[in-house]
Amino acid sequence: MTITLNTILKEIQDVPVDKLEDVYEYVHSLTPHKKNSRLRKKILSFAGAFSDMSEESYQEFASEIQKSRKELFGKPNLLRGSY
């Protein structure tokens, strides 16, 4: 069987409405040139997320993040023998 665009479009017509967003995301994941654009939009959606924090609160938050990263990722890797 040869799969054509029309074959795929006919199948998509049977997809439940609540699953159309999933289909849309999947189709776009197959097109690399659009993937970067979607990723950029997702990342930029966080822009200004901390704008309502005071400078003091933000600095405390940033310090805690650095501390957590150091604790989680700063440990020697005993499996590789780097200790």
Side-chain angles (χ1 to χ4, degrees), residues 17-54:
V17 175
D18 63 321
K19 298 294 183 186
L20 288 177
E21 187 173 344
D22 295 336
V23 172
Y24 180 82
E25 287 297 321
Y26 179 71
V27 169
H28 280 280
S29 73
L30 299 174
T31 54
H33 62 280
K34 293 184 180 184
K35 186 175 184 180
N36 289 338
S37 175
R38 284 192 324 279
L39 181 58
R40 184 178 299 115
K41 285 180 184 179
K42 285 183 180 180
I43 291 170
L44 287 176
S45 73
F46 292 103
F50 303 106
S51 63
D52 60 341
M53 293 177 80
S54 69

Side-chain angles (χ1 to χ4, degrees), residues 72-83:
L72 291 171
F73 304 111
K75 294 181 181 179
N77 188 338
L78 299 178
L79 295 175
R80 283 197 230 151
S82 57
Y83 41 91

